Amino acid sequence: MEEINMYLDEAKDLMNKAIKHVSSELVKIRAGKAAPNMLEGLMVAYYGNPTPINQVASITTPDARTLMIKPWEKNVIPEIEKAIINSDLGLNPQNDGEQVIINVPQLTEERRVTLVKQAKHEGEQGKISIRNIRKETNDNLKQLQKEGVSEDEVKRAEDKVQTLTDEFNKKIDEILTKKEAEIMTV
């Protein structure tokens, strides 16, 4: 019974991580407003090493349509611009010699639909992760049954795993619905 609880706890932890991952990926999908976390995960060549942009500069939003990136060292400005241009963010950086300024354009209807599709794709990836966790946990439970744990206990545990799966899939749907509304709001 203790092993069953261990597998259930592990499944729940892994499913929580899947939810966190989906949330962090959805944050990167911009919804028309400038936000410093839009640049999260962007790597800048800093003295030849790929370094996260937030470790070489401060990122602020003076207003809802502007991102300001102030590097700790001015010689990094061209590298920051290059990283932004080469990313798939679709942003156009400009610099004034002191900092990089990005004007975030208003999203077109077509771009909003594309972003919603991207968000749904991320949600589906999260659901796939959760289903894989369910499959792996159920396989482990079946192995326990072969090792002598009663069939009833394994069946109850599998029901709990399915309940967890449904619960976490519902959370992903809620997160997606919120993100979709955020993207489609003009």
Side-chain angles (χ1 to χ4, degrees):
M1 194 64 197
E2 193 175 301
E3 286 176 316
I4 288 177
N5 287 334
M6 182 188 73
Y7 284 129
L8 290 174
D9 290 344
E10 183 183 359
K12 191 171 187 173
D13 286 347
L14 290 171
M15 288 180 185
N16 269 320
K17 286 179 184 170
I19 294 277
K20 284 183 183 140
H21 179 74
V22 168
S23 295
S24 71
E25 289 301 310
L26 289 179
V27 162
K28 294 176 188 173
I29 298 174
R30 67 184 180 98
K33 281 194 297 207
N37 54 14
M38 288 168 57
L39 302 177
E40 208 171 90
L42 189 66
M43 300 302 257
V44 175
Y46 183 63
Y47 293 107
N49 296 321
T51 310
I53 191 167
N54 61 358
Q55 291 182 13
V56 297
S58 67
I59 305 167
T60 57
T61 51
D63 59 54
R65 294 257 168 258
T66 310
L67 278 174
M68 237 175 233
I69 305 163
K70 190 157 180 66
W72 313 137
E73 300 174 31
K74 288 183 185 161
N75 63 342
V76 183
I77 290 176
E79 295 298 334
I80 291 174
E81 286 183 303
K82 196 185 308 176
I84 293 167
I85 290 169
N86 293 338
S87 73
D88 62 351
L89 295 171
L91 299 172
N92 191 15
Q94 298 145 358
N95 86 61
D96 62 5
E98 296 282 320
Q99 59 198 359
V100 178
I101 301 163
I102 301 172
N103 290 314
V104 180
Q106 185 75 28
L107 293 175
T108 63
E109 188 66 28
E110 186 180 314
R111 181 74 177 136
R112 288 178 195 278
V113 170
T114 305
L115 291 176
V116 166
K117 282 181 186 170
Q118 190 180 342
K120 285 183 177 177
H121 175 74
E122 290 300 336
E124 191 53 43
Q125 292 303 311
K127 287 181 176 185
I128 289 169
S129 292
I130 288 171
R131 287 195 298 269
N132 287 339
I133 293 164
R134 175 187 62 193
K135 182 186 179 317
E136 195 176 302
T137 304
N138 283 342
D139 289 348
N140 289 335
L141 292 171
K142 283 193 181 23
Q143 188 61 41
L144 283 179
Q145 186 176 343
K146 288 179 185 171
E147 293 170 9
V149 176
S150 80
E151 192 177 327
D152 289 345
E153 284 183 27
V154 170
K155 183 70 179 131
R156 275 193 293 276
E158 285 176 345
D159 290 344
K160 286 180 183 172
V161 170
Q162 185 57 49
T163 304
L164 280 175
T165 303
D166 295 342
E167 185 183 310
F168 281 93
N169 278 335
K170 189 175 174 206
K171 284 182 185 178
I172 286 179
D173 287 337
E174 289 167 5
I175 293 168
L176 267 177
T177 303
K178 218 181 282 181
K179 185 64 178 183
E180 216 174 302
E182 188 182 314
I183 291 170
M184 294 311 284
T185 303
V186 180

